[in-house]
Amino acid sequence: MEKPNNTITDVLEGIVTEILVRLPLRSISRFKSVSQTWKSAIESVYFRRLFVSLHQNTSSSWSLLLRKEEFIDFHGCGTWGLPKSLGSYIQCMELDGKFEYMWFSGSNGLILMHRKLGTWKNYVGNPVLQQWVEIPACPGSYTFFCGVVTGVDEVGVVLSFKVVKSGNMFLNKGEMYMPLYVYSSETGFWIHKEVVCPVRLPNFYDPISLNGTLYFSQRGDSYNRRPGLMVLDFYGKPKDCHFIPLPDHALNRNKTCLATSSGFVMYIKTLAKPGGNLLKVWRLIDDSAWQLMWEVSIPFIGCYAPMSMHPFDRNIVYLWSHDNCYLMSFNLQTQNYKIFGDESKHHDCYINHRTCEKHMYKISRPYSVSEYEGPIILQQWVLSRWMQSVPRPPEVEMIDTTSLLSLVVKNEE
C-alpha cells in the first residue's frame, strides 16, 4: 500500500484541528480517545492557545452558590457546553453526607472537599473533570481551613494550587500574629509561617480567591472599626497581611456585596432613594485602592440588594428585589435589564428562585440599617477556559470520582 503524501496528511490534520477547536470542551474531550495522535494534538500547547484565542469572547460555565445551594447557574455557555448545572457535579460527591465541599479557587474550577465521617481526609479537584488529589494532613494542631488559591499561566491554565490553613492567633509585643500553614502542589509539602494580622478578630469564612490571593471580608465593629478586606497574597511579591477599608461606607439603608469580575475584586452598593435606587460599583486596583467604575440611577422603587457580578463581563450586575422577590440582571453600560422567572423556562441556565428568596432575606435583611451588616459574598464557581488536568503533587496519584467514591464506601464498611 502506498504511503500517504506528508503534505496531504498535514493538510487533513490541519482541517481536523480547525474543526475540533471550534467545538465546546465537553465534545473535544471525547475525541481524545479516538487515537493517540488526536490525543497528543488536543493536548498540545498550540491547540490550547488556538482554542482559548477563538473562545476569548465566549463566557465559560459558572455558578453562584452559598455553601452547596445554587442561586444562579450558567452551564450552557459555549466554552464548555455542559448538559447540567455545575452544582449537580458537586451533589454527586456528597454520598449520603460523607463528603462536603468547602472552598472554591475562584475562576479556575478547583474546589477543596473533605470527608465528614471516619478518618478526616481532604481532596482538591475538579468535579466536572472528575479528577482529585489527596492532601496530606496538616502538621499544625488546632488549625482550620482558610481557602485554596491557584497559580496560572498567561492564558489562565492552572499550573499549581496552594491550600491555606490558619492556627490560633496570639499576641506578641503588642502585635497580633496569625500562624499560617500552606500546602503547595509543586512541592507536596506544608510550610509554616507567621504574619502580623491587621485585624483584631478576623473573619475567615467565605473568602474570595482570585489571582493567588485570598480576600477576607471584615465587618465593622468595636474591634475592627469600619468594614474592609484583609488581604493575603500567596503567589505575588512577598508582603505582609494588610487591611483595605471599603469605600463610601455609610448606613442609610444601603446594601452591598463583594464579587469578582474580569480579574478584579468588585464592590457593589445600592442605596434606595425617592423614585429609584442609586447603584455604585468599584474595583480594587493593585490590592491597595478602590476605583469608582459606575454610578448610575436605576428606575426601580424598593429595596434592591446586589448579589454578584458576571465573572467575565464587569458591565453586568445581579440584583435581588426584596419587595417583589425576583432576580434581575442589569447592564451598567446600556442600562438594559432582565428579570428572571421560572427556572424551567431557561435552557442554558438554572435559576433557583426558592433558594434566592430563602437566603437573600437572611443574609441581606430588607431595610436594615445595622452598623454591623457586612457585604454579601456568594461563592462564584467558575470553570477555566481550558480543561487542563488538576495539578498533581509529587508522588501523589490522580483519583477519578468513581474510584474516590468506591474507596470511601469500602473504608466505611
Side-chain angles (χ1 to χ4, degrees):
M1 182 175 180
E2 185 178 354
K3 186 178 180 179
N5 185 283
N6 287 337
T7 302
I8 296 176
T9 302
D10 292 342
V11 171
L12 291 175
E13 290 179 353
I15 292 174
V16 171
T17 296
E18 288 296 326
I19 294 174
L20 291 179
V21 81
R22 285 168 169 78
L23 298 175
L25 289 174
R26 178 169 172 264
S27 299
I28 292 175
S29 64
R30 297 175 178 175
F31 287 105
K32 293 170 66 175
S33 61
V34 171
S35 67
Q36 184 60 42
T37 301
W38 281 38
K39 183 176 184 295
S40 299
I42 290 173
E43 292 179 349
S44 67
V45 175
Y46 170 77
F47 190 96
R48 182 186 72 201
R49 289 179 176 174
L50 181 59
F51 178 89
V52 173
S53 175
L54 290 175
H55 292 260
Q56 61 182 340
N57 295 323
T58 304
S59 293
S60 186
S61 300
W62 66 280
S63 184
L64 195 64
L65 305 98
L66 181 65
R67 304 303 179 189
K68 57 186 176 183
E69 294 193 66
E70 276 186 306
F71 287 63
I72 314 170
D73 174 87
F74 290 90
H75 59 273
C77 300
T79 301
W80 279 85
L82 299 178
K84 58 183 180 179
S85 72
L86 293 181
S88 62
Y89 291 91
I90 297 177
Q91 291 167 7
C92 74
M93 294 292 301
E94 292 189 348
L95 194 68
D96 296 329
K98 291 183 174 62
F99 272 96
E100 180 179 89
Y101 78 86
M102 300 179 66
W103 283 278
F104 300 88
S105 64
S107 59
N108 305 123
L110 299 186
I111 68 172
L112 172 66
M113 299 183 71
H114 75 107
R115 285 183 59 179
K116 297 173 63 177
L117 300 177
T119 304
W120 285 82
K121 290 189 176 182
N122 305 286
Y123 302 88
V124 169
N126 186 318
V128 177
L129 295 179
Q130 300 188 34
Q131 297 177 344
W132 301 90
V133 292
E134 184 178 340
I135 306 301
C138 177
S141 57
Y142 304 107
T143 60
F144 52 90
F145 284 103
C146 293
V148 55
V149 293
T150 52
V152 299
D153 65 8
E154 68 279 1
V155 295
V157 174
V158 179
L159 303 178
S160 64
F161 66 82
K162 294 181 180 181
V163 177
V164 183
K165 299 190 75 174
S166 177
N168 292 326
M169 300 181 63
F170 61 92
L171 192 64
N172 184 18
K173 297 181 179 180
E175 291 188 308
M176 189 66 67
Y177 281 82
M178 177 171 54
L180 292 176
Y181 297 86
V182 182
Y183 174 83
S184 171
S185 65
E186 296 178 304
T187 64
F189 295 105
W190 290 90
I191 63 169
H192 171 248
K193 61 179 181 179
E194 296 171 351
V195 298
V196 177
C197 183
V199 179
R200 182 71 178 273
L201 295 174
N203 169 35
F204 290 106
Y205 294 102
D206 301 324
I208 294 174
S209 177
L210 182 69
N211 301 329
T213 301
L214 289 178
Y215 302 86
F216 300 92
S217 174
Q218 307 300 318
R219 297 188 178 189
D221 55 30
S222 58
Y223 288 105
N224 299 332
R225 299 178 299 279
R226 62 181 300 180
L229 289 177
M230 187 175 70
V231 183
L232 279 166
D233 187 350
F234 295 93
Y235 275 97
K237 297 179 180 179
K239 63 178 73 173
D240 290 334
C241 174
H242 64 285
F243 179 80
I244 304 171
L246 294 178
D248 193 27
H249 174 59
L251 302 180
N252 302 322
R253 295 184 176 179
N254 61 73
K255 299 296 177 184
T256 62
C257 87
L258 285 160
T260 65
S261 183
S262 303
F264 291 91
V265 173
M266 312 293 288
Y267 179 60
I268 308 100
K269 174 181 177 180
T270 58
L271 175 62
K273 300 179 66 177
N277 276 261
L278 180 66
L279 178 61
K280 302 174 76 172
V281 179
W282 292 261
R283 69 176 179 180
L284 184 59
I285 304 297
D286 296 329
D287 289 347
S288 59
W290 294 97
Q291 178 186 18
L292 181 62
M293 301 296 295
W294 295 98
E295 184 172 352
V296 298
S297 295
I298 52 178
F300 304 107
I301 300 175
C303 181
Y304 283 81
M307 293 177 62
S308 190
M309 294 194 72
H310 194 292
F312 299 103
D313 188 345
R314 60 174 176 261
N315 292 321
I316 298 179
V317 61
Y318 294 91
L319 306 169
W320 175 257
S321 171
H322 279 295
D323 298 273
N324 302 301
C325 293
Y326 62 66
L327 171 68
M328 178 180 73
S329 66
F330 184 80
N331 190 306
L332 296 160
Q333 188 172 40
T334 65
Q335 299 197 19
N336 294 328
Y337 65 92
K338 177 182 179 180
I339 296 175
F340 293 92
D342 186 0
E343 57 264 29
S344 63
K345 298 179 181 179
H346 305 282
H347 301 292
D348 60 346
C349 66
Y350 171 74
I351 311 298
N352 193 328
H353 187 274
R354 183 177 299 176
T355 297
C356 291
E357 184 174 2
K358 178 179 70 173
H359 288 292
M360 287 303 295
Y361 186 88
K362 292 180 180 178
I363 62 180
S364 177
R365 292 165 293 173
Y367 303 110
S368 169
V369 292
S370 170
E371 182 179 358
Y372 304 134
E373 183 175 343
I376 297 169
I377 300 181
L378 299 179
Q379 295 162 314
Q380 293 170 293
W381 183 26
V382 186
L383 296 186
S384 63
R385 294 182 179 272
W386 181 249
M387 53 181 177
Q388 187 74 7
S389 297
V390 174
R392 186 171 64 88
E395 301 181 5
V396 175
E397 293 185 2
M398 190 77 74
I399 311 172
D400 62 69
T401 298
T402 302
S403 299
L404 181 59
L405 295 179
S406 298
L407 179 63
V408 173
V409 171
K410 182 178 179 180
N411 290 339
E412 291 296 332
E413 291 178 348

